[in-house]
C-alpha cells in the first residue's frame, strides 16, 4: 500500500481492519515471518475459527497474504505472511482521502 493509492474508501477499510486488538496481534505475530494457521492460533492462544475470521479480514484489506503449500507428509497447510505496507497519516493525507470517499464510505 502506498500513499498514492490511499483513497478515502481504502483508508476507511484499512483503519477499520486495524481497529481490532485481535487483528493487531495477528499482524504483529506475522512480522516474525510466515506461519500456518494452526501454529499461529497456538502462538496467539485463540481458536483457529476465530483466527480465520481475523485473517480473512486482514487478507481482504491487503494487509496479509496467504499461500497453500503441501507439508512433507502430504497435508495442505495455509501459510500467512504480513504484506509490507507503510501508512503515514497527516491531516492533509486524511483531507485528500476524504475528497475521494464514495457514498458507501461516507456513513
Amino acid at each position: 500500500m502506498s500513499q498514492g493509492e490511499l483513497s478515502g474508501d481504502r483508508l476507511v477499510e484499512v483503519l477499520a481492519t486495524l481497529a481490532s486488538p485481535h487483528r493487531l496481534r495477528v499482524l504483529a505475530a506475522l512480522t516474525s515471518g510466515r506461519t500456518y494457521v494452526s501454529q499461529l492460533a497456538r502462538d496467539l492462544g485463540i481458536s483457529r475459527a476465530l483466527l480465520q475470521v481475523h485473517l480473512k479480514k486482514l487478507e481482504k484489506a491487503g494487509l496479509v497474504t496467504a499461500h497453500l503449500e503441501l507439508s512433507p507428509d502430504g497435508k495442505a497447510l495455509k501459510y500467512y505472511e504480513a504484506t509490507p505496507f507503510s501508512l503515514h497519516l497527516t491531516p492533509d493525507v486524511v483531507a485528500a482521502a476524504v475528497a475521494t470517499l464514495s457514498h458507501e464510505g461516507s456513513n
Side-chain angles (χ1 to χ4, degrees), residues 30-86:
L30 290 173
T31 63
S32 301
R34 70 187 196 108
T35 190
Y36 59 98
V37 174
S38 295
Q39 183 62 52
L40 189 56
R42 283 191 295 272
D43 292 347
L44 294 171
I46 62 175
S47 72
R48 287 191 330 220
L50 178 59
L51 177 59
Q52 289 285 8
V53 168
H54 292 301
L55 285 168
K56 284 181 186 186
K57 289 182 181 186
L58 286 163
E59 189 174 19
K60 183 176 182 276
L63 300 172
V64 302
T65 57
H67 307 281
L68 199 58
E69 296 181 19
L70 288 179
S71 68
D73 63 355
K75 288 183 184 176
L77 299 175
K78 195 166 190 179
Y79 281 86
Y80 283 88
E81 62 187 328
T83 303
F85 68 91
S86 175

